[in-house]
Amino acid sequence: MARSGLAGAVRVARWADSALGPGRGSATADGKATLSDATAERAARELGLTVAQVRADWDTARLAGLVEVHGDSARPGWRLRAWDRDDSAVLRGWVALFDAWSLAHPEPADHEPSAVAEVVSAMPQVLSFLQLSAGPVPVDQLLDLLRQRVTELRTERCEVPYGPHPVPTTPSASAAPTAPAGRPGQGTPADASAVPTPRPGTAPAGAPAGPLDGTALAPAAGAGAAASAAADPAEAVGEAELAPLLDWALGALASVGALTYGDGQATLTPLGSWAVWVKLEQICVAAQSPAGNIEQSAEDMLRGCAQLRPNAARAEYRAWLAARPVGSAVTELLDAARGDDALLRGLAFEALRVVGAPAEPDVRAVVDEPALRPYALLWLAEHDGVDPEDAHEVLTREEATWLWVDTAAAVADHGEAPMLVRHLESALQPTVPALLDEVRAVGHPRTVQVLVALAAAHPDPALAKAVRRAAFQVHTGG
């Protein structure tokens, strides 16, 4: 199902690979990953499609990671290269499209961006309910659940729901009496923040009241609903606001193949049900984080894993990654690797090994950054199937020396003196003088600190003296 759903995108992506490769023309008009008019028309002619179909399939290919756009040029993504031989690449491509459903279908232009963002944030709960229902669900029921979730989001931000609010007036004799607390339809400030969560196999129950102003969340039946809407303008505004946004969201999810939508009901497709189940499973994995770092930033998570054994650290990486989108997780890990702490640099790339193939484009993009280059080259070599024991052979002598200094900096900052002495034995250079000469030449920013720490840790006085002399020469520029 994923292959058939992405067949058009694959066709356009392969056309782009053959027609828009190096020296064959430009893939985009403005560096924003949009096809130029001339390129779209050419693709339409050669593929027997309309220009609109080409543009739609091109956008799908980008969202699914089948093509990667760099400035004004396009190249095939790893998923396209593995398409015919690797079913997991196909499923990852579709899941990437599923995750980007809100970008696959233009959002309504006549709604506030904040309202659209709220609906996007609330849709995972709607999708979870569809998955648990295991069958068609009336749209009215989904609208009720969406309204509850949006109200919950606004409550968390302490926002008053949209719509006019009545001006307080002095109670009169004709005012309706207040119902006792706890009676259906009459919320109180004390329980206004309690928003019911649907249970497996059940319809979402209507919440008794909305936050702050008693806005009803669940539609009343018959004449009661009309009376409620007339009495509470905020409720009517909320329903009128969310209904078209839910229609847009369900239509967008249907366009990527996650569900079917029509006749007043929605049903997850088998592929959509599988994807939602995977997401729920990932949440369960994240909840089992052994060291409790899943809510931390990448940098803090890596620091928390520094003292763990390799298997325990990998379990922590998996839990942390499961709790966030892979794209943002990779970006955050690379940002942590760019910092001053060499230990975090190494750990970040260990976490990226857990990510695997989806991280390849981002890792390849940092190869030209001096601080990350050796780590990125080793990561890419291992990703391409090189034995980890032999991966160091892809590094030049200068790159290997730079990595030796960076690792020594991590040991100096976080390890013990004997570890730094043992690290000296791992150098490629056959003698200490040769090592010192090449260490001075690579220009690592931590060279002086590393040499000073090594001189202080080494038990051989003559060698320690030579290392201190080298540190002084680097420090003074000699």
Side-chain angles (χ1 to χ4, degrees), residues 116-148:
V116 175
E118 285 177 335
V119 170
V120 172
S121 298
M123 285 307 293
Q125 184 166 335
V126 174
L127 289 168
S128 298
F129 181 65
L130 280 166
Q131 205 278 338
L132 294 171
S133 298
V137 178
V139 172
D140 288 345
Q141 223 173 331
L142 299 178
L143 179 60
D144 180 56
L145 178 60
L146 179 65
R147 187 163 54 241
Q148 294 178 40

PDB file of all heavy atoms in Angstrom, residues 116-148:
ATOM      1  N   VAL A 116      -4.996  26.901  13.563  1.00  0.00           N
ATOM      2  CA  VAL A 116      -4.522  25.766  12.765  1.00  0.00           C
ATOM      3  C   VAL A 116      -3.483  24.964  13.554  1.00  0.00           C
ATOM      4  O   VAL A 116      -3.524  23.736  13.578  1.00  0.00           O
ATOM      5  CB  VAL A 116      -3.931  26.258  11.430  1.00  0.00           C
ATOM      6  CG1 VAL A 116      -3.325  25.093  10.657  1.00  0.00           C
ATOM      7  CG2 VAL A 116      -5.001  26.951  10.588  1.00  0.00           C
ATOM      8  N   ALA A 117      -2.566  25.667  14.216  1.00  0.00           N
ATOM      9  CA  ALA A 117      -1.523  24.988  14.990  1.00  0.00           C
ATOM     10  C   ALA A 117      -2.136  24.167  16.127  1.00  0.00           C
ATOM     11  O   ALA A 117      -1.646  23.075  16.450  1.00  0.00           O
ATOM     12  CB  ALA A 117      -0.535  26.009  15.546  1.00  0.00           C
ATOM     13  N   GLU A 118      -3.185  24.691  16.744  1.00  0.00           N
ATOM     14  CA  GLU A 118      -3.851  23.949  17.817  1.00  0.00           C
ATOM     15  C   GLU A 118      -4.445  22.653  17.291  1.00  0.00           C
ATOM     16  O   GLU A 118      -4.348  21.608  17.933  1.00  0.00           O
ATOM     17  CB  GLU A 118      -4.934  24.812  18.454  1.00  0.00           C
ATOM     18  CG  GLU A 118      -4.422  25.897  19.366  1.00  0.00           C
ATOM     19  CD  GLU A 118      -5.540  26.764  19.909  1.00  0.00           C
ATOM     20  OE1 GLU A 118      -6.602  26.866  19.263  1.00  0.00           O
ATOM     21  OE2 GLU A 118      -5.354  27.341  20.990  1.00  0.00           O
ATOM     22  N   VAL A 119      -5.070  22.718  16.132  1.00  0.00           N
ATOM     23  CA  VAL A 119      -5.679  21.514  15.561  1.00  0.00           C
ATOM     24  C   VAL A 119      -4.604  20.494  15.202  1.00  0.00           C
ATOM     25  O   VAL A 119      -4.759  19.298  15.465  1.00  0.00           O
ATOM     26  CB  VAL A 119      -6.535  21.884  14.334  1.00  0.00           C
ATOM     27  CG1 VAL A 119      -6.975  20.640  13.582  1.00  0.00           C
ATOM     28  CG2 VAL A 119      -7.758  22.685  14.771  1.00  0.00           C
ATOM     29  N   VAL A 120      -3.502  20.958  14.634  1.00  0.00           N
ATOM     30  CA  VAL A 120      -2.402  20.044  14.311  1.00  0.00           C
ATOM     31  C   VAL A 120      -1.884  19.372  15.585  1.00  0.00           C
ATOM     32  O   VAL A 120      -1.609  18.172  15.601  1.00  0.00           O
ATOM     33  CB  VAL A 120      -1.268  20.794  13.585  1.00  0.00           C
ATOM     34  CG1 VAL A 120      -0.048  19.900  13.420  1.00  0.00           C
ATOM     35  CG2 VAL A 120      -1.748  21.290  12.227  1.00  0.00           C
ATOM     36  N   SER A 121      -1.761  20.143  16.664  1.00  0.00           N
ATOM     37  CA  SER A 121      -1.282  19.587  17.937  1.00  0.00           C
ATOM     38  C   SER A 121      -2.278  18.605  18.545  1.00  0.00           C
ATOM     39  O   SER A 121      -1.889  17.687  19.265  1.00  0.00           O
ATOM     40  CB  SER A 121      -1.008  20.720  18.933  1.00  0.00           C
ATOM     41  OG  SER A 121       0.008  21.573  18.456  1.00  0.00           O
ATOM     42  N   ALA A 122      -3.577  18.818  18.259  1.00  0.00           N
ATOM     43  CA  ALA A 122      -4.612  17.971  18.857  1.00  0.00           C
ATOM     44  C   ALA A 122      -4.886  16.707  18.064  1.00  0.00           C
ATOM     45  O   ALA A 122      -5.468  15.752  18.593  1.00  0.00           O
ATOM     46  CB  ALA A 122      -5.912  18.783  18.989  1.00  0.00           C
ATOM     47  N   MET A 123      -4.466  16.650  16.791  1.00  0.00           N
ATOM     48  CA  MET A 123      -4.820  15.516  15.947  1.00  0.00           C
ATOM     49  C   MET A 123      -4.243  14.178  16.403  1.00  0.00           C
ATOM     50  O   MET A 123      -4.859  13.137  16.165  1.00  0.00           O
ATOM     51  CB  MET A 123      -4.432  15.797  14.499  1.00  0.00           C
ATOM     52  CG  MET A 123      -5.368  16.771  13.797  1.00  0.00           C
ATOM     53  SD  MET A 123      -7.118  16.306  13.882  1.00  0.00           S
ATOM     54  CE  MET A 123      -7.132  14.806  12.880  1.00  0.00           C
ATOM     55  N   PRO A 124      -3.053  14.112  17.041  1.00  0.00           N
ATOM     56  CA  PRO A 124      -2.603  12.797  17.516  1.00  0.00           C
ATOM     57  C   PRO A 124      -3.611  12.107  18.428  1.00  0.00           C
ATOM     58  O   PRO A 124      -3.766  10.881  18.360  1.00  0.00           O
ATOM     59  CB  PRO A 124      -1.300  13.132  18.256  1.00  0.00           C
ATOM     60  CG  PRO A 124      -0.767  14.326  17.527  1.00  0.00           C
ATOM     61  CD  PRO A 124      -1.991  15.132  17.177  1.00  0.00           C
ATOM     62  N   GLN A 125      -4.314  12.875  19.276  1.00  0.00           N
ATOM     63  CA  GLN A 125      -5.310  12.256  20.139  1.00  0.00           C
ATOM     64  C   GLN A 125      -6.488  11.760  19.313  1.00  0.00           C
ATOM     65  O   GLN A 125      -7.042  10.684  19.582  1.00  0.00           O
ATOM     66  CB  GLN A 125      -5.790  13.253  21.202  1.00  0.00           C
ATOM     67  CG  GLN A 125      -6.766  12.637  22.200  1.00  0.00           C
ATOM     68  CD  GLN A 125      -6.976  13.510  23.416  1.00  0.00           C
ATOM     69  OE1 GLN A 125      -6.123  14.308  23.768  1.00  0.00           O
ATOM     70  NE2 GLN A 125      -8.110  13.343  24.069  1.00  0.00           N
ATOM     71  N   VAL A 126      -6.865  12.518  18.291  1.00  0.00           N
ATOM     72  CA  VAL A 126      -7.957  12.087  17.410  1.00  0.00           C
ATOM     73  C   VAL A 126      -7.557  10.810  16.678  1.00  0.00           C
ATOM     74  O   VAL A 126      -8.345   9.864  16.562  1.00  0.00           O
ATOM     75  CB  VAL A 126      -8.305  13.210  16.410  1.00  0.00           C
ATOM     76  CG1 VAL A 126      -9.334  12.732  15.393  1.00  0.00           C
ATOM     77  CG2 VAL A 126      -8.845  14.435  17.147  1.00  0.00           C
ATOM     78  N   LEU A 127      -6.335  10.758  16.179  1.00  0.00           N
ATOM     79  CA  LEU A 127      -5.865   9.567  15.474  1.00  0.00           C
ATOM     80  C   LEU A 127      -5.784   8.362  16.408  1.00  0.00           C
ATOM     81  O   LEU A 127      -6.106   7.237  16.011  1.00  0.00           O
ATOM     82  CB  LEU A 127      -4.497   9.840  14.849  1.00  0.00           C
ATOM     83  CG  LEU A 127      -4.490  10.799  13.651  1.00  0.00           C
ATOM     84  CD1 LEU A 127      -3.059  11.210  13.307  1.00  0.00           C
ATOM     85  CD2 LEU A 127      -5.162  10.162  12.446  1.00  0.00           C
ATOM     86  N   SER A 128      -5.365   8.587  17.642  1.00  0.00           N
ATOM     87  CA  SER A 128      -5.307   7.495  18.611  1.00  0.00           C
ATOM     88  C   SER A 128      -6.699   6.927  18.867  1.00  0.00           C
ATOM     89  O   SER A 128      -6.881   5.705  18.963  1.00  0.00           O
ATOM     90  CB  SER A 128      -4.689   7.977  19.925  1.00  0.00           C
ATOM     91  OG  SER A 128      -3.364   8.419  19.725  1.00  0.00           O
ATOM     92  N   PHE A 129      -7.689   7.812  18.955  1.00  0.00           N
ATOM     93  CA  PHE A 129      -9.063   7.364  19.167  1.00  0.00           C
ATOM     94  C   PHE A 129      -9.562   6.568  17.961  1.00  0.00           C
ATOM     95  O   PHE A 129     -10.225   5.539  18.102  1.00  0.00           O
ATOM     96  CB  PHE A 129      -9.964   8.570  19.438  1.00  0.00           C
ATOM     97  CG  PHE A 129     -11.400   8.186  19.686  1.00  0.00           C
ATOM     98  CD1 PHE A 129     -11.741   7.448  20.799  1.00  0.00           C
ATOM     99  CD2 PHE A 129     -12.394   8.555  18.799  1.00  0.00           C
ATOM    100  CE1 PHE A 129     -13.064   7.085  21.038  1.00  0.00           C
ATOM    101  CE2 PHE A 129     -13.712   8.196  19.018  1.00  0.00           C
ATOM    102  CZ  PHE A 129     -14.050   7.456  20.140  1.00  0.00           C
ATOM    103  N   LEU A 130      -9.226   7.027  16.761  1.00  0.00           N
ATOM    104  CA  LEU A 130      -9.598   6.277  15.564  1.00  0.00           C
ATOM    105  C   LEU A 130      -8.954   4.887  15.569  1.00  0.00           C
ATOM    106  O   LEU A 130      -9.585   3.894  15.190  1.00  0.00           O
ATOM    107  CB  LEU A 130      -9.158   7.043  14.318  1.00  0.00           C
ATOM    108  CG  LEU A 130     -10.050   8.200  13.855  1.00  0.00           C
ATOM    109  CD1 LEU A 130      -9.316   9.057  12.827  1.00  0.00           C
ATOM    110  CD2 LEU A 130     -11.346   7.663  13.266  1.00  0.00           C
ATOM    111  N   GLN A 131      -7.702   4.805  15.998  1.00  0.00           N
ATOM    112  CA  GLN A 131      -7.009   3.523  16.025  1.00  0.00           C
ATOM    113  C   GLN A 131      -7.650   2.581  17.040  1.00  0.00           C
ATOM    114  O   GLN A 131      -7.853   1.399  16.771  1.00  0.00           O
ATOM    115  CB  GLN A 131      -5.530   3.755  16.357  1.00  0.00           C
ATOM    116  CG  GLN A 131      -4.574   2.688  15.862  1.00  0.00           C
ATOM    117  CD  GLN A 131      -4.515   1.487  16.779  1.00  0.00           C
ATOM    118  OE1 GLN A 131      -4.845   1.581  17.952  1.00  0.00           O
ATOM    119  NE2 GLN A 131      -4.111   0.352  16.240  1.00  0.00           N
ATOM    120  N   LEU A 132      -7.995   3.112  18.199  1.00  0.00           N
ATOM    121  CA  LEU A 132      -8.603   2.290  19.245  1.00  0.00           C
ATOM    122  C   LEU A 132     -10.017   1.864  18.886  1.00  0.00           C
ATOM    123  O   LEU A 132     -10.479   0.808  19.303  1.00  0.00           O
ATOM    124  CB  LEU A 132      -8.595   3.050  20.571  1.00  0.00           C
ATOM    125  CG  LEU A 132      -7.204   3.330  21.172  1.00  0.00           C
ATOM    126  CD1 LEU A 132      -7.311   4.277  22.353  1.00  0.00           C
ATOM    127  CD2 LEU A 132      -6.530   2.028  21.594  1.00  0.00           C
ATOM    128  N   SER A 133     -10.693   2.693  18.093  1.00  0.00           N
ATOM    129  CA  SER A 133     -12.067   2.362  17.693  1.00  0.00           C
ATOM    130  C   SER A 133     -12.091   1.240  16.669  1.00  0.00           C
ATOM    131  O   SER A 133     -13.080   0.518  16.550  1.00  0.00           O
ATOM    132  CB  SER A 133     -12.760   3.605  17.118  1.00  0.00           C
ATOM    133  OG  SER A 133     -12.850   4.618  18.097  1.00  0.00           O
ATOM    134  N   ALA A 134     -11.021   1.098  15.881  1.00  0.00           N
ATOM    135  CA  ALA A 134     -10.891  -0.009  14.913  1.00  0.00           C
ATOM    136  C   ALA A 134     -12.076  -0.080  13.964  1.00  0.00           C
ATOM    137  O   ALA A 134     -12.585  -1.153  13.661  1.00  0.00           O
ATOM    138  CB  ALA A 134     -10.701  -1.326  15.643  1.00  0.00           C
ATOM    139  N   GLY A 135     -12.534   1.057  13.491  1.00  0.00           N
ATOM    140  CA  GLY A 135     -13.644   1.079  12.550  1.00  0.00           C
ATOM    141  C   GLY A 135     -14.086   2.505  12.280  1.00  0.00           C
ATOM    142  O   GLY A 135     -13.460   3.468  12.750  1.00  0.00           O
ATOM    143  N   PRO A 136     -15.165   2.670  11.522  1.00  0.00           N
ATOM    144  CA  PRO A 136     -15.647   4.027  11.205  1.00  0.00           C
ATOM    145  C   PRO A 136     -16.078   4.774  12.468  1.00  0.00           C
ATOM    146  O   PRO A 136     -16.678   4.196  13.380  1.00  0.00           O
ATOM    147  CB  PRO A 136     -16.842   3.777  10.277  1.00  0.00           C
ATOM    148  CG  PRO A 136     -16.675   2.360   9.799  1.00  0.00           C
ATOM    149  CD  PRO A 136     -15.983   1.625  10.889  1.00  0.00           C
ATOM    150  N   VAL A 137     -15.754   6.058  12.516  1.00  0.00           N
ATOM    151  CA  VAL A 137     -16.155   6.919  13.632  1.00  0.00           C
ATOM    152  C   VAL A 137     -16.853   8.141  13.057  1.00  0.00           C
ATOM    153  O   VAL A 137     -16.332   8.778  12.137  1.00  0.00           O
ATOM    154  CB  VAL A 137     -14.936   7.366  14.468  1.00  0.00           C
ATOM    155  CG1 VAL A 137     -15.372   8.306  15.588  1.00  0.00           C
ATOM    156  CG2 VAL A 137     -14.210   6.156  15.042  1.00  0.00           C
ATOM    157  N   PRO A 138     -18.043   8.491  13.554  1.00  0.00           N
ATOM    158  CA  PRO A 138     -18.737   9.684  13.047  1.00  0.00           C
ATOM    159  C   PRO A 138     -17.896  10.941  13.246  1.00  0.00           C
ATOM    160  O   PRO A 138     -17.217  11.098  14.266  1.00  0.00           O
ATOM    161  CB  PRO A 138     -20.018   9.729  13.886  1.00  0.00           C
ATOM    162  CG  PRO A 138     -20.215   8.330  14.373  1.00  0.00           C
ATOM    163  CD  PRO A 138     -18.834   7.772  14.559  1.00  0.00           C
ATOM    164  N   VAL A 139     -17.957  11.833  12.267  1.00  0.00           N
ATOM    165  CA  VAL A 139     -17.179  13.067  12.349  1.00  0.00           C
ATOM    166  C   VAL A 139     -17.626  13.910  13.538  1.00  0.00           C
ATOM    167  O   VAL A 139     -16.797  14.582  14.170  1.00  0.00           O
ATOM    168  CB  VAL A 139     -17.302  13.853  11.030  1.00  0.00           C
ATOM    169  CG1 VAL A 139     -16.663  15.235  11.154  1.00  0.00           C
ATOM    170  CG2 VAL A 139     -16.649  13.080   9.893  1.00  0.00           C
ATOM    171  N   ASP A 140     -18.933  13.873  13.870  1.00  0.00           N
ATOM    172  CA  ASP A 140     -19.402  14.643  15.029  1.00  0.00           C
ATOM    173  C   ASP A 140     -18.697  14.207  16.304  1.00  0.00           C
ATOM    174  O   ASP A 140     -18.385  15.024  17.174  1.00  0.00           O
ATOM    175  CB  ASP A 140     -20.916  14.481  15.190  1.00  0.00           C
ATOM    176  CG  ASP A 140     -21.697  15.221  14.123  1.00  0.00           C
ATOM    177  OD1 ASP A 140     -21.090  16.086  13.450  1.00  0.00           O
ATOM    178  OD2 ASP A 140     -22.888  14.921  13.948  1.00  0.00           O
ATOM    179  N   GLN A 141     -18.455  12.916  16.400  1.00  0.00           N
ATOM    180  CA  GLN A 141     -17.753  12.402  17.575  1.00  0.00           C
ATOM    181  C   GLN A 141     -16.305  12.903  17.597  1.00  0.00           C
ATOM    182  O   GLN A 141     -15.769  13.272  18.651  1.00  0.00           O
ATOM    183  CB  GLN A 141     -17.774  10.868  17.531  1.00  0.00           C
ATOM    184  CG  GLN A 141     -18.082  10.233  18.881  1.00  0.00           C
ATOM    185  CD  GLN A 141     -18.260   8.739  18.767  1.00  0.00           C
ATOM    186  OE1 GLN A 141     -18.688   8.236  17.721  1.00  0.00           O
ATOM    187  NE2 GLN A 141     -17.945   8.033  19.817  1.00  0.00           N
ATOM    188  N   LEU A 142     -15.672  12.900  16.438  1.00  0.00           N
ATOM    189  CA  LEU A 142     -14.300  13.405  16.347  1.00  0.00           C
ATOM    190  C   LEU A 142     -14.234  14.898  16.633  1.00  0.00           C
ATOM    191  O   LEU A 142     -13.281  15.381  17.242  1.00  0.00           O
ATOM    192  CB  LEU A 142     -13.731  13.108  14.960  1.00  0.00           C
ATOM    193  CG  LEU A 142     -13.630  11.620  14.582  1.00  0.00           C
ATOM    194  CD1 LEU A 142     -13.086  11.477  13.165  1.00  0.00           C
ATOM    195  CD2 LEU A 142     -12.737  10.869  15.560  1.00  0.00           C
ATOM    196  N   LEU A 143     -15.253  15.632  16.177  1.00  0.00           N
ATOM    197  CA  LEU A 143     -15.294  17.069  16.447  1.00  0.00           C
ATOM    198  C   LEU A 143     -15.402  17.320  17.948  1.00  0.00           C
ATOM    199  O   LEU A 143     -14.768  18.229  18.498  1.00  0.00           O
ATOM    200  CB  LEU A 143     -16.468  17.706  15.711  1.00  0.00           C
ATOM    201  CG  LEU A 143     -16.665  19.213  15.921  1.00  0.00           C
ATOM    202  CD1 LEU A 143     -15.440  19.996  15.452  1.00  0.00           C
ATOM    203  CD2 LEU A 143     -17.916  19.698  15.182  1.00  0.00           C
ATOM    204  N   ASP A 144     -16.200  16.503  18.627  1.00  0.00           N
ATOM    205  CA  ASP A 144     -16.341  16.635  20.073  1.00  0.00           C
ATOM    206  C   ASP A 144     -14.995  16.393  20.766  1.00  0.00           C
ATOM    207  O   ASP A 144     -14.582  17.144  21.659  1.00  0.00           O
ATOM    208  CB  ASP A 144     -17.381  15.636  20.571  1.00  0.00           C
ATOM    209  CG  ASP A 144     -17.584  15.701  22.074  1.00  0.00           C
ATOM    210  OD1 ASP A 144     -17.896  16.796  22.569  1.00  0.00           O
ATOM    211  OD2 ASP A 144     -17.422  14.665  22.740  1.00  0.00           O
ATOM    212  N   LEU A 145     -14.296  15.341  20.328  1.00  0.00           N
ATOM    213  CA  LEU A 145     -12.995  15.036  20.912  1.00  0.00           C
ATOM    214  C   LEU A 145     -11.986  16.135  20.607  1.00  0.00           C
ATOM    215  O   LEU A 145     -11.198  16.527  21.477  1.00  0.00           O
ATOM    216  CB  LEU A 145     -12.497  13.699  20.363  1.00  0.00           C
ATOM    217  CG  LEU A 145     -11.111  13.241  20.827  1.00  0.00           C
ATOM    218  CD1 LEU A 145     -11.074  13.096  22.345  1.00  0.00           C
ATOM    219  CD2 LEU A 145     -10.734  11.926  20.160  1.00  0.00           C
ATOM    220  N   LEU A 146     -11.997  16.639  19.384  1.00  0.00           N
ATOM    221  CA  LEU A 146     -11.084  17.721  19.018  1.00  0.00           C
ATOM    222  C   LEU A 146     -11.343  18.956  19.865  1.00  0.00           C
ATOM    223  O   LEU A 146     -10.410  19.622  20.319  1.00  0.00           O
ATOM    224  CB  LEU A 146     -11.245  18.052  17.527  1.00  0.00           C
ATOM    225  CG  LEU A 146     -10.374  19.191  16.996  1.00  0.00           C
ATOM    226  CD1 LEU A 146      -8.899  18.814  17.069  1.00  0.00           C
ATOM    227  CD2 LEU A 146     -10.765  19.531  15.555  1.00  0.00           C
ATOM    228  N   ARG A 147     -12.624  19.273  20.077  1.00  0.00           N
ATOM    229  CA  ARG A 147     -12.956  20.454  20.885  1.00  0.00           C
ATOM    230  C   ARG A 147     -12.438  20.284  22.315  1.00  0.00           C
ATOM    231  O   ARG A 147     -11.919  21.225  22.920  1.00  0.00           O
ATOM    232  CB  ARG A 147     -14.465  20.666  20.868  1.00  0.00           C
ATOM    233  CG  ARG A 147     -14.911  21.965  21.542  1.00  0.00           C
ATOM    234  CD  ARG A 147     -16.326  22.344  21.139  1.00  0.00           C
ATOM    235  NE  ARG A 147     -17.261  21.267  21.379  1.00  0.00           N
ATOM    236  CZ  ARG A 147     -17.986  20.677  20.421  1.00  0.00           C
ATOM    237  NH1 ARG A 147     -17.834  21.043  19.158  1.00  0.00           N
ATOM    238  NH2 ARG A 147     -18.837  19.721  20.704  1.00  0.00           N
ATOM    239  N   GLN A 148     -12.556  19.073  22.847  1.00  0.00           N
ATOM    240  CA  GLN A 148     -12.043  18.824  24.192  1.00  0.00           C
ATOM    241  C   GLN A 148     -10.523  19.032  24.249  1.00  0.00           C
ATOM    242  O   GLN A 148      -9.996  19.652  25.176  1.00  0.00           O
ATOM    243  CB  GLN A 148     -12.385  17.394  24.620  1.00  0.00           C
ATOM    244  CG  GLN A 148     -13.871  17.136  24.800  1.00  0.00           C
ATOM    245  CD  GLN A 148     -14.132  15.692  25.182  1.00  0.00           C
ATOM    246  OE1 GLN A 148     -13.402  15.107  25.959  1.00  0.00           O
ATOM    247  NE2 GLN A 148     -15.182  15.109  24.633  1.00  0.00           N
TER     248      GLN A 148
END
